[in-house]
Amino acid sequence: MAFFHAWRFTHFTTEAGSHTDNPEQLTLLQKVGILLTGIKNPKPVNRQRPDFPYRTVYLSSPNGRLETWYATVPEARGTVALFHGYTSCKSKLLTEAGYFRRLGYNVLLTDFAGNGGSEGNVCTVGHHEAEDVATAVRWLQRRPGPVLIYANSMGAVATLRAEAELGIRPDANILECPYGSMLQTAQSRFRSMHVPPFPMANLLVLWGGLANNFWAFDLDATRYAALTSTPTLLLWGAADPRVTRPETDAIFAALRGPKKRQDFPGSGHEPYWWKNKALWEQTIQEFLANPATR
C-alpha cells in the first residue's frame, strides 16, 4: 500500500482531469478515498503563454529534455532563473517573471522533467530536479551577466541541493517556502488529513526513494542550507499549513552566506503576491539592490 501511494505521488499520468485537491481542502469521504486509491496525479500542463516576447529553448538534463522560455530585456542587469513547485509548471510563474523583467532582468522559466513541456513523467519532489536546476544555471552562466534563482517549494529544495551537492554557484537566491526534509513534508500531508503520520509517512518516503533510485531520507533542505553560501532571501507564508515555522527557522539559521528573511502575514502555501503584493515586490526589490546580490 505504501509503495502504491509512493508511486502515484512520484509519477504523473496522462489521464484527463485535475490533480487531487490539497489535503486541507478535502472532505472526510474524499480523504478516505485517497487513502485507499492514492492521489490523482495528471502531468501538469502549461495553460498560459507569456505576454512578453520570448523564445522556447530546449536543454538536455540528465533527467531528459527540458522545455524553457527565455526572455531578454535591453541592457539587462542579469538573468533570473525561475523554478516551480510540485504538480506545477513554468506558466504558473509568469507574474513573477514579468516583475523581474520590469526590474531589468532577463528571465528563464523552466519546466522540471516530468512537468509541462519537458520530457518524462517522474517527479522526485526536489532530488532529481536539482540536476535540472544545474542544467539551466550552467546554460545561463555561459552568457553575460549575473545569474539569480527564484524558486518555490520543491524548486527551492532542488536549488539548495544543486548548490550543496552539485556545485552550482548562482549570484543570489530568492527561495519561497522550502520544506525542511522529505520526511517532514510527508508527515505534514498526513497531519493535514488528520491521519497519524507514523508509520505511513516513513514508509511513503522509503518507497518513494527506492522506486526512483535515491535515498529519500537524505532529501533535507536544512542540511543543504548548511552547505550553501549564496546570498539568499528566504520567504515564508505565516499561514502555511504545509511548511512550518520551525522548518523555516531551521533552514534560515543553517544558511551560511548573507541572508535575509521575510514572512508574509495571512499567506499560505501560495504565491505571496496574491495577498501581500506590495510587500512581496518591495522585499524583492530591496534584496536585489543589495551589493551582495549583484
Side-chain angles (χ1 to χ4, degrees), residues 9-12 61 63 83-88 112-115 122-135 151-166 168 175-183 185 205 208-209 212-224:
F9 195 78
T10 58
H11 288 74
F12 296 118
S61 163
N63 301 317
F83 299 102
H84 60 80
Y86 178 64
T87 66
S88 188
F112 283 124
N115 298 259
V122 173
C123 175
T124 60
V125 202
H127 187 273
H128 295 355
E129 289 76 13
E131 294 280 5
D132 299 342
V133 171
T135 296
N152 60 45
S153 194
M154 178 187 79
V157 176
T159 295
L160 289 170
R161 179 174 180 259
E163 295 177 23
E165 297 189 342
L166 304 181
I168 295 304
L175 305 180
E176 290 189 353
C177 56
Y179 58 80
S181 70
M182 188 69 254
L183 179 58
T185 198
V205 172
N212 295 287
N213 301 311
F214 74 103
W215 186 245
F217 290 101
D218 285 346
L219 185 52
D220 188 330
T222 306
R223 180 172 64 84
Y224 301 148

Side-chain angles (χ1 to χ4, degrees), residues 64-130:
R65 191 180 75 164
L66 307 179
E67 183 181 271
T68 76
W69 292 333
Y70 183 49
T72 60
V73 298
E75 301 180 4
R77 299 172 59 189
T79 303
V80 178
L82 295 94
F83 299 102
H84 60 80
Y86 178 64
T87 66
S88 188
C89 52
K90 61 183 179 296
S91 63
K92 296 297 181 73
L93 293 172
L94 288 174
T95 296
E96 292 86 340
Y99 182 62
F100 285 117
R101 283 172 52 81
R102 291 196 295 276
L103 293 177
Y105 290 87
N106 304 325
V107 294
L108 180 75
L109 299 99
T110 300
D111 280 327
F112 283 124
N115 298 259
S118 294
E119 287 184 337
N121 72 327
V122 173
C123 175
T124 60
V125 202
H127 187 273
H128 295 355
E129 289 76 13

Side-chain angles (χ1 to χ4, degrees), residues 227-256:
L227 301 171
T228 300
S229 57
T230 304
T232 298
L233 171 61
L234 181 63
L235 309 179
W236 179 68
D240 194 327
R242 277 178 267 168
V243 176
T244 66
R245 183 180 294 276
E247 287 176 83
T248 307
D249 291 345
I251 291 170
F252 186 70
L255 287 165
R256 290 175 50 200

